[in-house]
Amino acid sequence: MASKYTVTLIPGDGTGPELVEAARLVLEATGLAFEWDVQPAGLDVLEKEGTPLPERVLRSIRQNRVALKGPITTPVGSGFRSVNVALRQELDLYANLRPAKSYPGVRSRYQGIDLVVVRENTEDLYAGIEHWVIPGEAAESIKIITRRASERIVRFAFEYARENRRRMVTAVHKANIMKLTDGLFLEVARQVATEYPDIEFNDRIVDNMSMQLVQRPEEYDVLVMPNLYGDILSDLASGLVGGLGVAPGANIGDGIAVFEPVHGSAPKYAGQGKVNPTATILSGMLMLRWLGEEAAAAAVEAAVAEVIAAGECVTYDLKERRDDPTAVSTMEMASEIAKRVRERMRTAVA
Ligand code: NAD
């Protein structure tokens, strides 16, 4: 009997619940035994429980050590802190892993891209430590970079590169201007790199990196960077491979991880069952890999790639014309992927 995994399932809000249902269907098609500890969080929960992130959610993830999460809306300018940022900080999920890989059949300006963005997830300007210097006139945001956080994220990138047979790690920074903060990040990156002589190392200034990713993305492999640059460049990397609908993500700490798509809750499509489940399903694939279920992860990735390449059972955004009447629903696309996962797992066992 295969091991049983108890996974915290956070449906999220907006299109989150329908996407998480789609991913659950595909993950169960692997034949692995999952027990889902469903923990609502987000806007609806705020109304009922007075907080969008009740303690029970954190307790569940701390206990199960693994969660699959749908996107959660953060209203602009509202009083409450982003649930997504709070989760990463509370659970010390210090590494944000965002692979950007081309799948044939996804319309994009580029082919053959296989990049991984490793984003520091706990500090930098993104921690949102801000205050008014002169109310209404001047505001200040504090950028914190520490040796400890820089060292563990760069080490994570090198370990990831080694385990996944990647050839190169590039540190991205603005150390020419931010001499102390980004200077420290770069100094630490160079030090850590000496421990990994089998992996090539280089560094790029973030503005130059942005241009190079647009012009020559195939020259890069694993990119590691502080939080805010990672937020921006990982969306750029998603754009290189066809957009947010296909970009998975993982927030990883020591022995604990939360898997979620890069995209947000796309609230205007909520309840319509039409958004693309690929990013959430591929986040589930990253979860399988993290759990050490390599065969199941490979089956899910191959099934996703097949369905996208065939181009029939895909959502509107993957069709050439967005109003194509042959576009299928979120669940229909997931069912087709699940069917192919079952076939692959059966063949693997036979
Ligand atoms: P979004 O990612 O929700 O949407 C951006 C665009 O991408 C929209 O045009 C949307 O229609 C499209 N899109 C997104 N996901 C798609 C999918 N699966 N299939 C097809 N098209 C898809 O970004 P936004 O509109 O800036 O944010 C909406 C809300 O989500 C905000 O409140 C934001 O704070 C939140 N958000 C949450 C997370 C998270 O939970 N980790 C991440 C990003 C944004």
Side-chain angles (χ1 to χ4, degrees), residues 9 160 262:
L9 194 77
Y160 178 89
V262 170

Side-chain angles (χ1 to χ4, degrees), residues 69 71-74 84 244 260 262-266 269 275-276 316:
K69 174 183 165 297
I72 290 178
T73 308
T74 311
N84 310 307
L244 290 173
E260 63 177 341
V262 170
H263 64 69
S265 55
Y269 296 125
V275 285
N276 186 351
Y316 73 97

Side-chain angles (χ1 to χ4, degrees), residues 103-104 300-311 336 340-341 343-344:
Y103 290 99
V300 170
E301 188 174 21
V304 167
E306 257 175 36
V307 170
I308 291 177
E336 181 63 24
R340 290 171 193 245
V341 168
E343 283 164 10
R344 285 182 169 269

Side-chain angles (χ1 to χ4, degrees), residues 13 15 19 69-76 82 84 88 98 244-246 251 260-269 274-280 315-317 322:
D13 53 38
T15 53
L19 291 168
K69 174 183 165 297
I72 290 178
T73 308
T74 311
V76 175
S82 155
N84 310 307
R88 294 166 196 166
R98 294 185 165 184
L244 290 173
V246 295
N251 300 289
E260 63 177 341
V262 170
H263 64 69
S265 55
K268 67 181 173 197
Y269 296 125
K274 65 183 283 191
V275 285
N276 186 351
T278 303
T280 314
T315 46
Y316 73 97
D317 58 308
R322 289 198 153 217

Side-chain angles (χ1 to χ4, degrees), residues 218-254:
E218 66 288 348
E219 288 183 12
Y220 292 91
D221 191 359
V222 176
L223 310 174
V224 62
M225 62 199 83
N227 207 339
L228 184 60
Y229 307 146
D231 182 50
I232 298 166
L233 288 194
S234 59
D235 267 32
L236 188 155
S238 309
L240 299 176
V241 297
L244 290 173
V246 295
N251 300 289
I252 303 176
D254 290 328

